[in-house]
Amino acid sequence: MGKIAKLNGARVAKYKRNLAKWSLNLSPAEIERAAHWYPETLALCHDIAKVGSYTIEQSASIFSAYSPRVPYKRNVTLAYRHARGEQIYGLTNSRKVALQAERIGLRALNGPKTHAFALNILGDTQAVTVDVWHCKAAGLTRKDPTIVQYREISRATQLLAMDLGLEPSTLQALIWVRIRGNKAD
């Protein structure tokens, strides 16, 4: 078993401070919207599962496989097209992973972001989806965090969520909506 790199407490604290800026003056409506984001996506995945005759794990994994660098509405379209067996052009790696997800579900998702995203959709509130937007909110300048940076941002999100009395997945969804603003399509 490989050695796991130790998290840098100073960086975790810095990421937490940066993320906290995105969680100031939360309204009850914003919290409510964020708390429903993953359950609503789960309901969508239940429908995709029916269309493609998948389990919910397969459906959430397929949905997650198409998510990297794709706007949410396009992600929905791609997952439905996949479930209907339609041809999807481009996105070679996403298609390959989605096809694997049809067979083996979550095990097909080898990236930390896509794996956490599927877990969040399936109801795991402690996993944190650290995508491009969450990296930006944390103050990370690179779009693809190292595995240590991913774990540090995830931990910072969990700690901040605890301070705010929120689930980490709810805080991540809230920050995603806030940082994207009107781009939440």
Side-chain angles (χ1 to χ4, degrees):
M1 181 176 254
K3 186 177 178 182
I4 296 177
K6 188 174 179 181
L7 301 185
N8 179 306
R11 282 195 307 258
V12 170
K14 178 184 82 168
Y15 295 143
K16 183 181 172 192
R17 283 190 305 276
N18 290 336
L19 292 167
K21 294 173 190 173
W22 290 96
S23 58
L24 295 173
N25 304 316
L26 297 174
S27 72
E30 285 178 302
I31 294 170
E32 184 77 10
R33 180 176 177 211
H36 285 94
W37 198 92
Y38 281 111
E40 287 170 2
T41 303
L42 175 61
L44 180 73
C45 285
H46 275 286
D47 191 54
I48 292 166
K50 288 178 190 170
V51 170
S53 298
Y54 305 130
T55 67
I56 190 59
E57 179 185 322
Q58 290 168 314
S59 178
S61 298
I62 290 165
F63 190 86
S64 185
Y66 284 111
S67 69
R69 306 283 198 283
V70 172
Y72 185 78
K73 285 183 182 177
R74 175 108 170 101
N75 195 166
V76 172
T77 300
L78 290 167
Y80 272 108
R81 288 186 67 204
H82 184 98
R84 290 190 299 264
E86 296 175 15
Q87 180 65 41
I88 296 172
Y89 299 97
L91 303 172
T92 305
N93 189 57
S94 294
R95 274 194 340 262
K96 183 180 91 176
V97 174
L99 289 169
Q100 290 174 334
E102 283 185 15
R103 293 190 319 277
I104 60 174
L106 285 168
R107 293 188 322 258
L109 304 172
N110 52 17
K113 182 266 183 185
T114 54
H115 193 261
F117 187 43
L119 289 175
N120 286 149
I121 292 168
L122 292 169
D124 183 335
T125 61
Q126 297 304 303
V128 179
T129 301
V130 180
D131 64 1
V132 171
W133 299 100
H134 208 65
C135 286
K136 182 177 179 180
L140 192 66
T141 56
R142 59 185 294 161
K143 292 181 180 181
D144 293 315
T146 66
I147 191 63
V148 173
Q149 289 168 325
Y150 189 101
R151 290 177 52 232
E152 288 170 345
I153 293 170
S154 179
R155 184 65 183 143
T157 305
Q158 292 167 336
L159 292 170
L160 180 59
M162 194 179 333
D163 291 350
L164 297 172
L166 299 172
E167 296 291 351
S169 61
T170 299
L171 178 60
Q172 179 271 318
L174 180 101
I175 291 170
W176 185 83
V177 169
R178 278 191 155 187
I179 198 166
R180 292 212 18 140
N182 292 331
K183 299 177 191 172
D185 58 357

